[in-house]
Amino acid sequence: MSSDCLFCKIVAGEIPVEFVYESDTVVAFRDISPQAPTHVLVIPRKHIATINDIAPEDEAVIGHMYTAAKEIAAAEGIAEDGYRTVMNCNEGAGQSVFHIHLHVLGGRPMTWPPG
Ligand code: 5GP
Ligand code: ZN
């Protein structure tokens, strides 16, 4: 837990958020500023600041973030039409919260390349 981290506070229940998915090692909740009809953030309970900070022992939880994402997509009804998962790394890529999170976006057509 990083005491000054917004997403650690959400994991700890200090900021009330409804989880759309939770397990022993990850939680997921709706983005406060949704960029698509479905916009969910999947985060590890463990504080990992950026992709650059992922350690070998984190490999299982990183994989689990994707199995969580696929279950969320199915529950949201976007699995067949398609959805996008994004994890930004550092400011240059648009990361604004330094506790890794997998964006799960769907419910509208997605363009490529992203901006
Ligand atoms: P990033 O820009 O780091 O890839 O994504 C951070 C995301 O967290 C943004 O999409 C932003 O809207 C979302 N966010 C920031 N603060 C909060 C919050 O307090 N609650 C929720 N649910 N989402 C947040
Ligand atoms: Zn954190």
Side-chain angles (χ1 to χ4, degrees):
M1 163 114 187
S2 174
S3 57
D4 57 354
C5 171
L6 173 67
F7 286 178
C8 281
K9 288 182 177 148
I10 286 176
V11 168
E14 291 172 17
I15 297 171
V17 167
E18 184 185 344
F19 293 149
V20 299
Y21 180 97
E22 60 182 312
S23 75
D24 286 353
T25 55
V26 313
V27 301
F29 50 90
R30 295 190 193 283
D31 197 290
I32 202 167
S33 176
Q35 302 301 309
T38 291
H39 188 172
V40 171
L41 303 174
V42 182
I43 74 171
R45 290 184 186 271
K46 174 184 176 182
H47 180 82
I48 302 170
T50 79
I51 294 173
N52 293 336
D53 301 297
I54 295 171
E57 61 265 28
D58 300 324
E59 286 176 358
V61 72
I62 301 300
H64 180 35
M65 290 170 75
Y66 282 88
T67 55
K70 117 181 153 166
E71 287 190 29
I72 292 160
E76 294 283 315
I78 58 172
E80 298 309 318
D81 278 352
Y83 57 97
R84 182 163 295 163
T85 58
V86 178
M87 192 184 293
N88 298 319
C89 182
N90 277 338
E91 286 95 340
Q95 185 176 5
S96 60
V97 177
F98 287 81
H99 178 134
I100 60 166
H101 44 281
L102 189 63
H103 296 260
V104 181
L105 297 141
R108 66 165 171 83
M110 296 288 158
T111 58
W112 192 262

